[in-house]
Amino acid sequence: MSDNVYRVTEIVGSSTTSIDDAIKGAISRAGATLEHVEWFEVVETRGHIENGQVAHFQVTLKVGFRLNEA
């Protein structure tokens, strides 16, 4: 195994359904945009309330992706 170098970026996923869907949607989009996405960390979870009910979930993630070799 060679030594790797990673870049970390912060993204926010959102969903009207669940925190899990917000995470999965964010990771899916990151994977379609970035190469070598290998890990994530949930940094913050928040939501929006309407009429006393949860209407929207937002999850901030740190996403790590491996940089291509030079």
Side-chain angles (χ1 to χ4, degrees):
M1 180 176 158
S2 63
D3 294 333
N4 293 312
V5 175
Y6 293 87
R7 178 164 180 101
V8 178
T9 190
E10 201 166 83
I11 61 175
V12 178
S14 62
S15 170
T16 56
T17 308
S18 68
I19 292 170
D20 190 52
D21 281 352
I23 293 169
K24 288 178 179 176
I27 296 299
S28 177
R29 180 65 185 269
T33 305
L34 303 168
E35 294 181 8
H36 313 297
V37 175
E38 296 188 358
W39 58 267
F40 74 94
E41 172 186 355
V42 175
V43 178
E44 181 177 31
T45 306
R46 62 184 171 268
H48 177 71
I49 299 170
E50 289 180 7
N51 300 321
Q53 300 290 322
V54 175
H56 209 91
F57 301 91
Q58 288 185 326
V59 181
T60 303
L61 307 169
K62 285 186 181 179
V63 177
F65 58 97
R66 185 172 27 87
L67 298 177
N68 290 330
E69 303 231 1

